[in-house]
Amino acid sequence: MTITFIATIAILSALKVAVASIPTSTVDWLLRKFELHHKLSEENADISFEGRAVQGAEKANIITAWNESLFLEEYYVHSGNREYYSNPSHGISPIEIVLDTGKTPVMFHVYQHAEYVDVVKQVKSKVRAYKIKAEMLHNKASGKAV
């Protein structure tokens, strides 16, 4: 009995040391696999608004606003309301962002409101929706210059 107890403590201690000493790059890779709000760069993101590609300073402003935005809350999307988030009919033209992550592209539909921004993220057939606060995107929605 005591041999089993001592062996269990030794194995758990070794496991604790192994988990505590994982390299930072490995931890970053694991976190990136599960992150909801990806960071954008000019090289890996294609942005369009109302059917036209956004380029230059406007694209840089949108990417800066996206990267500096604050995550507020995630909406629960289940199979019954997935179509509501995938194809909303509330008359707001979204900013469409296609993020090239390597294997599969990630599509973001960004709906601007006066006080917050709704984001619908689609990867293959998975849909996730959440709300962010991005001051520059709010100003654009309320008619102010970016």
Side-chain angles (χ1 to χ4, degrees):
M1 178 70 178
T2 57
I3 300 288
T4 306
F5 183 70
I6 292 172
T8 304
I9 289 177
I11 291 171
L12 290 176
S13 298
L15 183 64
K16 180 180 175 185
V17 168
V19 169
S21 62
I22 294 175
T24 304
S25 60
T26 305
V27 172
D28 289 341
W29 175 78
L30 282 170
L31 290 176
R32 274 194 310 274
K33 285 186 65 93
F34 297 104
E35 74 182 339
L36 179 62
H37 186 72
H38 296 273
K39 297 294 181 189
L40 302 178
S41 69
E42 295 221 18
E43 295 82 34
N44 67 356
D46 295 323
I47 302 174
S48 62
F49 181 66
E50 295 180 344
R52 68 170 180 85
V54 177
Q55 298 295 329
E58 188 177 6
K59 180 178 180 179
N61 286 341
I62 291 172
I63 289 175
T64 301
W66 177 273
N67 290 338
E68 293 176 356
S69 65
L70 299 174
F71 179 85
L72 296 178
E73 68 177 307
E74 183 175 4
Y75 302 124
Y76 179 64
V77 179
H78 55 82
S79 60
N81 68 353
R82 182 176 294 143
E83 187 64 30
Y84 171 76
Y85 287 106
S86 298
N87 301 313
S89 59
H90 47 66
I92 300 173
S93 295
I95 296 174
E96 296 176 348
I97 301 172
V98 178
L99 179 64
D100 183 22
T101 58
K103 293 182 181 179
T104 58
V106 179
M107 178 76 119
F108 294 98
H109 297 280
V110 181
Y111 298 95
Q112 304 165 346
H113 302 285
E115 294 152 7
Y116 61 91
V117 176
D118 282 333
V119 178
V120 178
K121 174 184 174 183
Q122 291 182 309
V123 180
K124 295 183 182 177
S125 63
K126 270 179 107 174
V127 176
R128 295 180 78 184
Y130 57 98
K131 183 190 304 186
I132 62 173
K133 183 171 181 69
E135 200 62 42
M136 291 171 68
L137 294 175
H138 302 167
N139 292 341
K140 189 171 188 170
S142 62
K144 300 176 187 173
V146 174

